Amino acid sequence: MREEDSLSSRKKAIRDMIEAAFGREDAPNASSIVDSVYPEPLQIREYFSGKSWWTLTLKGFHDDYTGDPSACLTFMTPVGMKYYLPAYLVMAVESYYEGDVLTLELSSRMRSYIFEDSMYELSSLSYSKKKAVAKAMSFIWQEYADEEAREALDIMGRFWGAEFSC
């Protein structure tokens, strides 16, 4: 099997794991995604309102979102963060370099999201969701040599348990 075929099959396996873990629930209502009156968070709420996580694409962000797409999760409530995180994971696994700041910054931001659990509540993710997050971060670290993904895995190990670390 050619190396490219193997890479494609590994990406697909991670996508399948993320999709199985996070499912296809309806998008949360807009006020549950972002709870703020400031312009940037309001722009985020408007963009994400009514969108299912699995319909988000790099092209959509590029064509339709005027802000910094890598910062969107940062402004979300725990409900919004936990709902839209799988879209970011899939985009980073499948289009790491093409996604520019949206995908290249995810590992760095994941360190904060996990460390700042009182704000984002990612520790309340189910076991299967945590495993999917860890699998995506592990792939990003190994395939793209993203040291911040390894650091995110170390933090997952400290906060979620050793089985989620590198």
Side-chain angles (χ1 to χ4, degrees), residues 36-108:
S36 177
V37 296
Y38 294 102
E40 187 170 4
L42 289 175
Q43 176 184 343
I44 292 166
R45 179 168 58 196
E46 182 179 320
Y47 180 76
F48 283 84
S49 181
K51 287 184 172 73
S52 300
W53 73 261
W54 60 90
T55 65
L56 297 175
T57 64
L58 291 175
K59 181 173 176 13
F61 276 109
H62 181 264
D63 293 347
D64 304 325
Y65 188 74
T66 57
D68 175 359
S70 72
C72 293
L73 292 175
T74 304
F75 289 103
M76 290 186 183
T77 65
V79 168
M81 161 72 78
K82 289 184 267 189
Y83 183 79
Y84 290 105
L85 177 60
Y88 281 73
L89 295 170
V90 168
M91 287 185 273
V93 165
E94 294 181 348
S95 304
Y96 184 79
Y97 296 113
E98 300 85 353
D100 195 31
V101 69
L102 186 147
T103 52
L104 297 174
E105 290 294 315
L106 180 62
S107 299
S108 173

Side-chain angles (χ1 to χ4, degrees), residues 78 81 109-123 155 159:
M81 161 72 78
R109 292 182 184 272
M110 283 301 299
R111 294 179 316 181
S112 298
Y113 300 152
I114 296 162
F115 188 77
E116 298 292 333
D117 194 61
S118 62
M119 185 179 300
Y120 299 109
E121 301 177 8
L122 290 181
S123 67
I155 294 169
F159 285 84

